[in-house]
Amino acid sequence: MAAKKAEQALVDQWRDLLALHARTQCELDRALHRHGLCASDFEVLDVLADGSARSGSALRVQEISERVHLSQSALSRLIARLEKDGLVERCMCPQDRRGVVVALTPRGRALHGEVLPMQRAVLTRMLTN
């Protein structure tokens, strides 16, 4: 009986976590929509901003995929859309010509800076009790 209760508590905790994620994702999408972004778009811009601040350069697509929770094909489509919108640029990796690196454009950096406080406010509101 105790094992069954513990199992149910674990399942309930998992479902609560999924519900919190879904609610937070919806709030982020709603807040970012007026800037033409969704939460996944912002996540990629944020990873690029953080990565370029640390290394001073662009990130390989593989490095981005390790930090965002998207399939490789979904990430490739998202990067292509951000590139079309003038927010990022892709080029060949200077160290390995088979690889591709992605960097924020000045427009992408400016938009990231503009929406960053809004995204952080949504996270604060949704994730702190």
Side-chain angles (χ1 to χ4, degrees), residues 78-93:
L78 189 150
I79 289 171
R81 190 174 72 251
L82 293 175
E83 184 177 38
K84 182 179 170 221
D85 292 344
L87 302 175
V88 302
E89 59 187 357
R90 288 186 277 191
C91 9
M92 299 305 292
C93 179

Side-chain angles (χ1 to χ4, degrees), residues 62-79:
Q62 181 62 35
E63 292 173 291
I64 299 167
S65 71
E66 291 169 359
R67 299 196 45 206
V68 298
H69 300 285
L70 296 171
S71 68
Q72 190 71 35
S73 60
L75 178 59
S76 292
R77 287 190 304 272
L78 189 150
I79 289 171

Side-chain angles (χ1 to χ4, degrees), residues 7 19 32 70 114 116:
E7 180 181 322
L32 296 168
L70 296 171
E114 182 181 334
L116 178 66

Side-chain angles (χ1 to χ4, degrees), residues 47-48 50-52 55 57-61 63-64 67 100-103:
V47 164
L48 287 169
D50 183 49
S52 63
S55 68
S57 63
L59 295 178
R60 294 177 66 114
V61 173
E63 292 173 291
I64 299 167
R67 299 196 45 206
V100 175
V101 294
V102 181

